Amino acid sequence: MPLYLEIIICVSLLIGGAFLLVGSYGLIRLPDIYMRLHSPTKASTLGITGVLLASMVFQSHLKGFLSIQELLITLFLLITAPVAANMIAKTALHQRTKPLDKTKNQELIETARDREVPKPPQD
């Protein structure tokens, strides 16, 4: 394997691993569910993207053609992580999970919880 590919793979793995470490640390250290939503959806998604990018480069070199399985997995994760975080936040809102006192913009929680569903236009 050429040296430049090894460097690309190593750098991608290191960056991805660093993001995964920060995301895992944030998941442990952040105090309430509203704050904890940020680390798995942002840092961990970037970390998995870095690891899968390294895997894609490695597999493409071994096979001799572009490996798109890792690209499809990355695309799936980039689409589903924000949707999952949104569902978790909505569940926390409707279960009336209490945020910490130091959580900012707490007045928006009641506004988001009590808003009405928009009605479809009448013909």
Side-chain angles (χ1 to χ4, degrees):
M1 179 179 297
L3 180 63
Y4 70 92
L5 281 180
E6 289 181 7
I7 292 172
I8 291 172
I9 291 170
C10 287
V11 167
S12 181
L13 283 173
L14 287 173
I15 291 172
F19 274 111
L20 284 170
L21 182 66
V22 168
S24 300
Y25 183 73
L27 191 60
I28 292 170
R29 293 290 299 166
L30 292 173
D32 69 348
I33 190 163
Y34 301 107
M35 292 182 199
R36 282 186 185 155
L37 285 175
H38 297 290
S39 64
T41 56
K42 291 181 178 68
S44 298
T45 303
L46 287 172
I48 290 293
T49 301
V51 171
L52 287 172
L53 181 66
S55 176
M56 184 176 75
V57 170
F58 181 71
Q59 290 298 323
S60 295
H61 175 72
L62 284 182
K63 294 179 181 177
F65 56 89
L66 183 63
S67 175
I68 62 166
Q69 288 91 355
E70 291 87 358
L71 189 63
L72 292 174
I73 293 169
T74 303
L75 182 65
F76 177 74
L77 285 172
L78 289 174
I79 291 171
T80 57
V83 174
N86 189 13
M87 293 295 118
I88 292 170
K90 283 184 178 183
T91 302
L93 281 174
H94 292 295
Q95 294 290 326
R96 299 194 183 277
T97 303
K98 186 83 172 137
L100 293 178
D101 292 333
K102 63 182 177 179
T103 302
K104 295 180 181 178
N105 298 326
Q106 290 189 21
E107 67 276 359
L108 296 176
I109 292 174
E110 289 297 323
T111 305
R113 184 185 302 135
D114 297 334
R115 72 178 177 169
E116 294 182 17
V117 177
K119 296 179 182 174
Q122 302 262 334
D123 288 334

